[in-house]
Amino acid sequence: MKKIVIHPATRLEGHAKITILLNDEGNVDDVKFQQLDLRGFEKFCIGKPVEELPRIVTSICGVCPWSHHLASAKANDAVFGVQIPPAAKKLRELCNSIAYCEEHILHFYFLAGADFVMGPDADPSVRNVIGIAGKVPDIAKKVVRSRWLGAEMLEIVSGKAIHPVTAVPGGFSKPLTEKERDTALPLAEEVLEFAKFSIDFAKNSIFPNYLDAVKSLGVIKTGFLGTVTEDGTLDLYDGKLRMMDAEGKYEDFKCEDYTDYIGEHIEPWTYMKFPYMKKVGKLSMDLDNPVGVYRTNTLARLNVCDKIRTPLAQKELTEFREKFGRPVQLTLLYHWARLIELLYNAEYAVQLLKDPAITSKDIRIPVKPRAARGIGIVEAPRGTLIHDYETDAQGLVTNVNIIVGTTHNNAPINMSVKRAAIDLIKDGKYDQGMINKIEMCYRAYDPCLSCATHNLDGRLAVKIDIVDNKGELLDTLKNF
Amino acid sequence: MDTIPSYCNCKILILGCGNILFGDDGFGPYVAEELQKNYNLPENVDVINAGSSVRNILFDIALSEKKPDKIIIVDAVDAAKTPGEIFELPIDEIPENKIDDFSMHQIPTSNLLKELKELCKVDIIIIACQVESVLEEVTDSISKKITDAIPEVCKRIKEIIKNG
């Protein structure tokens, strides 16, 4: 069969591109999915002072700027060879937890909103945000208020809500005064109440209704990657990485050694890279016999951790494991895991604010440029985020490698999309509705297109090319 | 302390949208910064450099009881016009998108804007600037034709504010 070379779309046009190759009988032979990467970012950073990066990288993603900001700050700390003061770490963690709360509240109520209020089979035209607000106005009010409290807290702690700037090489640029802490604490406690409400509400009114419905969509069996502390506790800011296979066996490694455990597989038809479990030796996206594939994101983090440091979230984890076991493969359960993570972050924010050490003025140590390599890893909402920098003796960047959360899911996304395509296209027959189902598989991962596809429209544009066994383009379906 | 976001509590909200890492796409944020730094705007007008976070803001507005009367979106687009040309993009001309799933990375911004306009009677104005080049790679340099357009857009926005 002819090999198809796909030229990625230009940035402003940006869309995900899926090529479906049919065999002689008109059935799916192969599926190639690709999305745009942040091409040229490395080149853009080269020659810049490395301490500029924590500020620059916040533009990579408008949904999780804090994750990039903190990963970059950590990479800076490593490049400069410093351990930041304990209070600085607490402040960074506090900002991380608050940002997570905002994001998870938004994500859950937005994503699950249409399903639980309207039902997964409701006509797309009635599934709009205003409609949801109309049906459950009290919850809508709480969602807006909780997110606003999060933004207020971030302003108090870090001075800016939308474009983070306060994490710097060597620590944090602004201490938290006692007065500020006293203002922020009741806000955090209110967000915690809403987090508690959210998981109770979901367990009673939402999950029972649609647990059955989504069991079969694009389900695959994979390993998982997440971050834990030395004793296996879930941690979103720091720790060691844990790579777990589909059966639950795992190996831990330090973040500096990530290239020994995470390989990047290249395919000739795309600029995208496919991370895989390097120790396994290879990557195979074969649906019946996947090799080396792993996932990240909320469910992965919950699978790999042994426990959670805050009591309410730990209780939820115990219940979750009693119900579903460990590790859990069902993609749907990402939502449940997200709420447990929300609860953890809300509890942890309160815990940190109550810690007397958080108002310490010792929050930053000086740094000196040197030729070095430094790696900073955090758990972004969508998965393990890796910033890997190299500098020259003047502290100017000579090399940058960034693996964003979604990139880890490139292989599983390909597999899910392929599984859906095989079911939907038979004997050369398919219909326009197919594009919906394929999009759903892709969206289940909530992939981050890193704003490479930003356009006013902002939607996920998907183009599907259907190609016969001679490589001739049969049809193109697109939603833009 | 306010109990609702400032961007829900104003009469007119101006959102500069775009990514400064992608050259001309940074137009919206640069306009927002220009307005914030060099223009005296009335108390009931809020300007936000939304960057790539516009959906978060629109979502909050959609759910909030209190909403602005008018939202002005400033963004760079490629509509095959003359680079640097300023034009209004009627929201009705952006095609309706079906929404099977919701995601903060993927929700059609235009859908949110249409909902706000049709269901909540918020006046939506989109001021667009034609980009010079469609980029393949990250860059923070913006075309001169685009920078030259910033004052004109600010002037246009002042007029809109003046006319209520």
Side-chain angles (χ1 to χ4, degrees):
Chain A
M1 188 196 337
K2 245 165 121 178
K3 224 173 201 160
I4 314 290
V5 176
I6 296 164
H7 298 286
T10 55
R11 191 167 298 284
L12 283 179
E13 187 193 0
H15 48 257
K17 220 175 207 137
I18 300 174
T19 304
I20 301 176
L21 293 103
L22 304 182
N23 61 18
D24 283 343
E25 289 80 42
N27 294 322
V28 172
D29 200 79
D30 201 4
V31 173
K32 296 178 188 333
F33 155 83
Q34 62 167 343
Q35 61 186 2
L36 297 187
D37 273 333
L38 200 64
R39 275 189 303 129
F41 189 73
E42 177 191 307
K43 208 164 78 177
F44 173 73
C45 290
I46 286 173
K48 290 195 170 25
V50 68
E51 67 268 20
E52 295 277 294
L53 262 49
R55 184 187 53 79
I56 293 172
V57 298
T58 56
S59 294
I60 291 176
C61 182
V63 181
C64 8
W66 272 99
S67 300
H68 280 287
H69 186 56
L70 292 176
S72 184
K74 287 182 73 181
N76 263 263
D77 299 335
V79 151
F80 289 113
V82 297
Q83 293 284 344
I84 66 173
K89 179 173 185 239
K90 289 178 204 287
L91 287 166
R92 287 185 184 179
E93 285 190 283
L94 176 60
C95 291
N96 195 37
S97 280
I98 297 168
Y100 253 91
C101 286
E102 268 195 89
E103 195 275 346
H104 276 4
I105 288 172
L106 177 63
H107 186 109
F108 177 75
Y109 282 97
F110 206 42
L111 241 175
D115 286 335
F116 75 69
V117 178
M118 311 299 181
D121 300 314
D123 189 278
S125 63
V126 305
R127 291 167 61 161
N128 56 54
V129 177
I130 312 283
I132 295 165
K135 248 193 148 174
V136 286
D138 288 334
I139 294 181
K141 247 197 248 175
K142 284 184 190 156
V143 169
V144 176
R145 179 163 168 82
S146 300
R147 283 174 36 77
W148 182 233
L149 293 178
E152 289 283 278
M153 281 192 277
L154 282 173
E155 272 219 31
I156 291 168
V157 180
S158 77
K160 273 185 102 168
I162 294 187
H163 304 284
V165 293
T166 3
V168 292
F172 208 72
S173 62
K174 151 188 184 312
L176 187 69
T177 66
E178 287 185 11
K179 187 158 175 264
E180 286 168 340
R181 187 270 315 280
D182 295 341
T183 311
L185 182 54
L187 311 190
E189 282 164 341
E190 192 178 331
V191 171
L192 174 55
E193 287 310 304
F194 187 59
K196 288 191 283 190
F197 163 82
S198 299
I199 193 163
D200 286 340
F201 178 69
K203 285 191 315 189
N204 294 327
S205 317
I206 303 171
F207 294 143
N209 295 340
Y210 79 132
L211 254 179
D212 285 332
V214 201
K215 267 192 182 138
S216 59
L217 187 66
V219 175
I220 49 177
K221 204 168 172 203
T222 71
F224 300 95
L225 175 70
T227 301
V228 295
T229 60
E230 268 315 304
D231 68 356
T233 305
L234 170 73
D235 202 296
L236 304 175
Y237 173 78
D238 203 21
K240 55 184 178 175
L241 293 174
R242 176 166 289 177
M243 181 73 85
M244 178 179 274
D245 70 15
E247 265 67 49
K249 285 200 316 295
Y250 60 79
E251 201 173 346
D252 294 344
F253 54 99
K254 294 206 289 275
C255 70
E256 301 87 74
D257 299 331
Y258 85 89
T259 51
D260 294 335
Y261 290 82
I262 299 174
E264 288 185 282
H265 174 84
I266 314 258
E267 288 278 329
W269 45 269
T270 177
Y271 290 106
M272 249 170 45
K273 298 198 192 140
F274 296 86
Y276 68 98
M277 296 179 184
K278 207 170 190 181
K279 295 277 170 171
V280 165
K282 67 170 187 170
L283 171 70
S284 170
M285 294 187 265
D286 185 304
L287 287 177
D288 300 314
N289 193 21
V291 177
V293 182
Y294 68 89
R295 285 184 277 181
T296 58
N297 203 313
T298 54
L299 188 60
R301 289 192 282 267
L302 226 63
N303 277 334
V304 307
C305 80
D306 299 325
K307 53 192 162 134
I308 299 179
R309 61 168 60 93
T310 58
L312 298 176
Q314 171 58 40
K315 192 157 162 279
E316 293 294 337
L317 177 65
T318 306
E319 185 187 316
F320 182 85
R321 287 206 165 132
E322 278 164 10
K323 255 191 160 70
F324 303 110
R326 179 187 182 194
V328 173
Q329 297 281 351
L330 268 187
T331 307
L332 157 80
L333 291 173
Y334 271 89
H335 296 308
W336 197 314
R338 186 167 290 112
L339 288 174
I340 297 178
E341 218 173 57
L342 165 63
L343 186 56
Y344 159 63
N345 276 294
E347 284 185 281
Y348 196 42
V350 170
Q351 187 181 308
L352 285 165
L353 282 167
K354 284 183 171 169
D355 184 339
I358 203 155
T359 52
S360 164
K361 297 212 179 2
D362 178 22
I363 53 158
R364 187 174 184 180
I365 54 177
V367 296
K368 268 222 284 272
R370 59 176 197 164
R373 182 177 176 200
I375 297 165
I377 296 184
V378 299
E379 287 291 326
R382 261 124 227 108
T384 313
L385 173 60
I386 301 172
H387 281 231
D388 184 347
Y389 304 159
E390 280 173 64
T391 54
D392 63 19
Q394 278 72 49
L396 303 179
V397 173
T398 55
N399 197 18
V400 165
N401 188 27
I402 296 180
I403 303 182
V404 302
T406 289
T407 302
H408 298 282
N409 290 329
N410 284 346
I413 291 175
N414 256 278
M415 289 168 59
S416 288
V417 168
K418 182 171 178 177
R419 162 145 284 148
I422 286 174
D423 291 339
L424 294 163
I425 303 179
K426 301 249 192 258
D427 306 322
K429 292 192 183 55
Y430 54 88
D431 58 41
Q432 296 284 336
M434 174 188 87
I435 197 170
N436 292 359
K437 295 235 170 63
I438 291 185
E439 281 180 56
M440 281 177 75
C441 280
Y442 175 50
R443 286 177 180 148
Y445 292 84
D446 187 33
C448 179
L449 301 177
S450 68
C451 308
T453 57
H454 166 76
N455 50 28
L456 174 68
D457 202 282
R459 88 188 99 100
L460 173 60
V462 178
K463 180 176 161 204
I464 299 181
D465 286 339
I466 301 181
V467 172
D468 74 8
N469 62 336
K470 294 179 196 61
E472 297 295 324
L473 183 64
L474 294 175
D475 202 349
T476 293
L477 306 172
K478 51 186 192 169
N479 65 351
F480 61 94
Chain B
M1 200 201 63
D2 287 341
T3 53
I4 57 170
S6 62
Y7 47 80
C8 294
N9 213 8
C10 58
K11 186 159 178 280
I12 299 176
L13 174 65
I14 301 160
L15 295 172
C17 306
N19 195 328
I20 57 168
L21 288 183
F22 300 140
D24 294 351
D25 196 46
F27 178 70
Y30 292 132
V31 167
E33 277 179 16
E34 176 69 14
L35 286 169
Q36 284 164 343
K37 269 200 231 137
N38 298 326
Y39 284 75
N40 250 342
L41 298 175
E43 280 276 325
N44 57 8
V45 174
D46 201 8
V47 182
I48 296 183
N49 171 1
S52 318
S53 309
V54 70
R55 276 159 260 163
N56 293 7
I57 294 170
L58 292 179
F59 177 72
D60 286 341
I61 294 174
L63 288 185
S64 170
E65 273 185 317
K66 186 138 196 330
K67 299 173 176 33
D69 292 345
K70 202 190 291 281
I71 299 177
I72 303 172
I73 304 265
V74 183
D75 201 354
V77 298
D78 184 8
K81 292 183 184 279
T82 314
E85 186 180 336
I86 311 285
F87 53 99
E88 274 190 36
L89 202 54
I91 184 84
D92 303 314
E93 280 182 21
I94 300 174
E96 184 73 59
N97 298 298
K98 46 174 186 26
I99 35 175
D100 294 315
D101 302 285
F102 291 79
S103 157
M104 280 327 295
H105 289 108
Q106 298 151 28
I107 182 65
T109 309
S110 55
N111 275 20
L112 275 174
L113 290 171
K114 280 189 186 184
E115 282 181 35
L116 286 169
K117 179 182 175 199
E118 277 146 33
L119 301 175
C120 311
K121 310 301 172 206
V122 175
D123 187 15
I124 306 287
I125 300 172
I126 303 170
I127 301 179
C129 180
Q130 170 66 37
V131 298
E132 171 124 56
S133 50
V134 171
L135 294 173
E136 294 276 316
E137 288 189 341
V138 170
T139 175
D140 62 356
S141 63
I142 184 171
S143 314
K144 187 169 181 307
K145 294 202 177 104
I146 310 303
T147 331
D148 288 347
I150 295 175
E152 189 197 323
V153 169
C154 292
K155 212 169 101 194
R156 208 185 260 224
I157 290 174
K158 275 217 94 171
E159 277 299 309
I160 295 173
I161 294 171
K162 199 167 112 203
N163 299 335

